[in-house]
């Protein structure tokens, strides 16, 4: 690993993040349920997907390596998109975990998985809270 950041949450390299993103989004694109949802938001061209992968790579580089190159609000994007449903999180996370376990040493994969699960729980909670009818009681996890 050539570009380890001493401020990183855990010792994954930028190259490893890039590889995980490439492998993962190649699979997402072909996924029968998730692929169409992503295509609706990203587009279907290779260039559109490359731009999305770069953006998400920047997100993870910010979240893990504490680099400041990411500019976006993923919570707002997910919560504000009605075609992104709560049931999409389980297959997304399952596939992400598979790729992490395939591409990284076990300790790094487990640490990144824990972070992804924490972020996913926050997204799901916010989506559920935002989308519930005002008269319905909140669901507490």
């Amino acid at each position: 690993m050539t570009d380890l950041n001493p401020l990183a949450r855990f010792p994954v390299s930028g190259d490893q993040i890039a590889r995980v993103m490439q492998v993962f989004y190649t699979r997402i694109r072909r996924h029968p349920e998730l692929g169409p949802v992503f295509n609706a938001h990203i587009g279907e061209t290779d260039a559109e997907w490359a731009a999305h992968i770069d953006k998400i790579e920047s997100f993870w580089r910010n979240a893990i390596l504490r680099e400041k190159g990411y500019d976006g609000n993923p919570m707002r994007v997910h919560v504000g998109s009605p075609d992104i449903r709560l049931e999409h999180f389980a297959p997304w996370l399952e596939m992400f975990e598979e790729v992490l376990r395939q591409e990284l040493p076990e300790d790094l994969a487990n640490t990144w998985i824990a972070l992804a699960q924490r972020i996913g729980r926050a997204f799901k909670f916010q989506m559920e809270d935002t989308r519930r009818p005002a008269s319905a009681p909140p669901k507490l996890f």
Side-chain angles (χ1 to χ4, degrees):
M1 290 184 266
T2 59
D3 61 347
L4 291 181
N5 179 341
L7 301 176
R9 290 178 188 263
F10 49 92
V12 68
S13 72
D15 290 343
Q16 288 171 312
I17 292 172
R19 175 71 184 150
V20 166
M21 294 300 100
Q22 286 298 323
V23 172
F24 177 68
Y25 282 105
T26 296
R27 291 184 189 181
I28 283 287
R29 237 177 139 172
R30 294 189 311 251
H31 191 275
E33 181 182 2
L34 298 177
V37 175
F38 275 81
N39 280 327
H41 290 274
I42 295 168
E44 296 188 28
T45 69
D46 291 342
E48 290 166 317
W49 275 87
H52 179 72
I53 292 168
D54 286 347
K55 185 172 191 163
I56 304 307
E57 182 181 332
S58 292
F59 168 82
W60 286 113
R61 290 177 75 99
N62 180 56
I64 298 169
L65 301 179
R66 302 183 191 276
E67 293 179 0
K68 301 299 180 201
Y70 178 73
D71 181 28
N73 186 332
M75 180 72 76
R76 184 179 52 207
V77 170
H78 288 80
V79 171
S81 300
D83 58 331
I84 299 174
R85 298 186 314 266
L86 293 172
E87 59 266 22
H88 290 142
F89 283 89
W92 184 97
L93 190 56
E94 181 179 316
M95 191 180 317
F96 195 62
E97 289 177 8
E98 288 172 6
V99 170
L100 289 171
R101 291 189 193 290
Q102 171 190 324
E103 296 297 323
L104 298 175
E106 183 177 7
D107 59 330
L108 289 180
N110 289 338
T111 303
W112 195 345
I113 288 166
L115 179 59
Q117 289 173 341
R118 196 164 55 245
I119 291 169
R121 281 192 303 271
F123 280 22
K124 286 173 61 176
F125 178 79
Q126 186 65 41
M127 285 175 69
E128 189 165 80
D129 189 55
T130 301
R131 294 176 181 178
R132 74 176 164 78
S135 61
K139 180 177 178 183
L140 304 175
F141 292 88

